[in-house]
Amino acid sequence: MNQFLLRRIAISIPLLLVISMIIFGILALAPGDPMAEFATDPSVSAEVRQNIRQSLGLDEPLPVRYGKWLSAFVQGDMGYSFASRSPVRALLGQRIATTLAVVGTAYLLSVLLAVPLGMLAALRPYSVFDQVSSTLAFVGFSLPTFFTGLLCILLFSVRLGWFPLVYNSTLVVSDWPSLLAQLRQSAMPIGVLTLFQTATMMRFMRSAALEQIYRDYVRTARAKGLHERVVVNRHILRNALIPVVTLVALGVPSVFTGALVTEQVFRVPGIGGLLVSSIQSSDTPVVMAITCIYALLIVIFNLVADMLYGVLDPRVRYT
């Protein structure tokens, strides 16, 4: 196990370096200038703009800029935002709580709903429950989140007035009324994300369970007289979860980087909204920090998924 972990970590380090170099190169060569906002400001002279450019290191060669960024990032220094002049770590700290509250809650609800619903649909194939749940699942992942988000806004905010139109980022939860207001403004973005993610994972779970139900070892377990609950939990569910673990593990990093479209639709001040605004303003340090954290989390949770394989399937050996 230890050798397996060390080998995977040794492979992951150059992989992350290549990813960071590619992203840094793309951002450096992409059209757009971080100093563009000063170009239209008559109070900022060309000399001042040049001094700001030098202070940010934008006049240095690309390899030098990448080397300095990488050295600082490894030490935990993500640099300063070109747009707000604030530390990138502080910007991420301001947004991560909202992202975890909205996107994290939606993802947790999706996992809790998708696994039992997918199992029930697989255990009763072609029943009324299976057909209804499958139809809802197809609707759920066929409709993009921006469409369901706008539909929810028009129905529940504009016409019925049940939920606020946009997310209030200045709301502070200090008592029961403010907590209720927080839940009301979080309901629609959480609901939209939960619908989409539950539909996707439920179909995956149903397919994985159906592949196991008709296997010989399941028939053998039933022929031995084992209780149906034991057959389902110990044999079918456990083996069906193996491919689902990969899907769930690789989806966890998106919880920390936010939902780009949904956060924009509901004006949720999360990491996804920060990433979109940073790309629009060519704010390289912020974009680099978010994308590299996302890549790092992908590698970590992919490794976690490999570890869970051994727990779910004792035949898996780490050599």
Side-chain angles (χ1 to χ4, degrees):
M1 175 69 80
N2 292 334
Q3 291 182 352
F4 174 78
L5 286 174
L6 292 175
R7 188 168 65 249
R8 288 294 302 271
I9 292 173
I11 295 173
S12 301
I13 291 175
L15 176 64
L16 290 172
L17 286 175
V18 171
I19 292 174
S20 66
M21 283 190 287
I22 292 175
I23 297 173
F24 197 90
I26 291 175
L27 292 175
L29 299 176
D33 185 0
M35 299 292 102
E37 60 176 310
F38 296 112
T40 57
D41 190 349
S43 63
V44 180
S45 64
E47 293 181 353
V48 173
R49 289 201 300 270
Q50 183 60 28
N51 290 334
I52 296 175
R53 184 179 295 277
Q54 290 178 353
S55 65
L56 295 176
L58 295 175
D59 59 337
E60 296 177 336
L62 185 60
V64 176
R65 289 166 52 191
Y66 173 75
K68 289 184 177 180
W69 173 86
L70 181 61
S71 175
F73 188 81
V74 170
Q75 300 175 36
D77 181 7
M78 301 179 187
Y80 287 82
S81 167
F82 291 162
S84 64
R85 313 294 188 271
S86 301
V88 175
R89 177 184 287 183
L91 289 176
L92 297 181
Q94 295 170 1
R95 303 288 189 113
I96 189 65
T98 304
T99 293
L100 290 178
V102 175
V103 184
T105 302
Y107 197 74
L108 180 61
L109 289 175
S110 300
V111 175
L112 294 178
L113 290 173
V115 172
L117 290 178
M119 278 298 298
L120 289 175
L123 293 173
R124 299 176 177 82
Y126 311 112
S127 64
V128 175
F129 176 80
D130 183 29
Q131 293 179 0
V132 171
S133 60
S134 297
T135 302
L136 293 177
F138 277 120
V139 172
F141 68 75
S142 298
L143 296 177
T145 53
F146 75 87
F147 180 79
T148 52
L150 293 176
L151 195 65
C152 288
I153 290 175
L154 289 175
L155 179 61
F156 297 113
S157 295
V158 177
R159 183 168 294 275
L160 299 176
W162 290 356
F163 304 110
L165 190 62
V166 295
Y167 196 94
N168 180 15
S169 60
T170 61
L171 178 65
V172 177
V173 178
S174 57
D175 50 18
W176 284 108
S178 60
L179 176 61
L180 182 60
Q182 178 68 26
L183 294 176
R184 288 184 67 235
Q185 71 174 0
S186 303
M188 283 200 296
I190 290 176
V192 168
L193 290 172
T194 302
L195 175 65
F196 181 78
Q197 294 168 345
T198 301
T200 305
M201 284 191 277
M202 178 190 160
R203 291 298 301 170
F204 204 84
M205 184 68 207
R206 178 184 180 276
S207 299
L210 277 177
E211 289 182 1
Q212 305 298 325
I213 286 176
Y214 302 106
R215 294 287 179 90
D216 291 339
Y217 70 89
V218 175
R219 279 195 289 267
T220 302
R222 285 175 172 148
K224 289 166 62 179
L226 292 179
H227 194 277
E228 184 64 18
R229 186 174 56 187
V230 177
V231 175
V232 171
N233 293 335
R234 186 176 299 174
H235 297 281
I236 299 176
L237 176 61
R238 186 169 181 174
N239 289 283
L241 281 176
I242 294 175
V244 178
V245 162
T246 303
L247 181 67
V248 174
L250 294 181
V252 173
S254 63
V255 172
F256 294 90
T257 54
L260 300 180
V261 176
T262 307
E263 289 186 2
Q264 290 294 305
V265 170
F266 291 101
R267 296 293 186 269
V268 178
I271 299 293
L274 177 63
L275 178 60
V276 172
S277 62
S278 299
I279 292 174
Q280 292 172 344
S281 60
S282 301
D283 199 346
T284 304
V286 178
V287 178
M288 281 298 299
I290 296 175
T291 51
C292 287
I293 290 174
Y294 182 73
L296 180 62
L297 291 174
I298 285 285
V299 171
I300 291 174
F301 280 96
N302 199 10
L303 184 60
V304 171
D306 289 342
M307 296 294 102
L308 290 176
Y309 287 162
V311 177
L312 295 171
D313 189 351
R315 295 172 298 178
V316 176
R317 292 290 182 269
Y318 302 102
T319 57

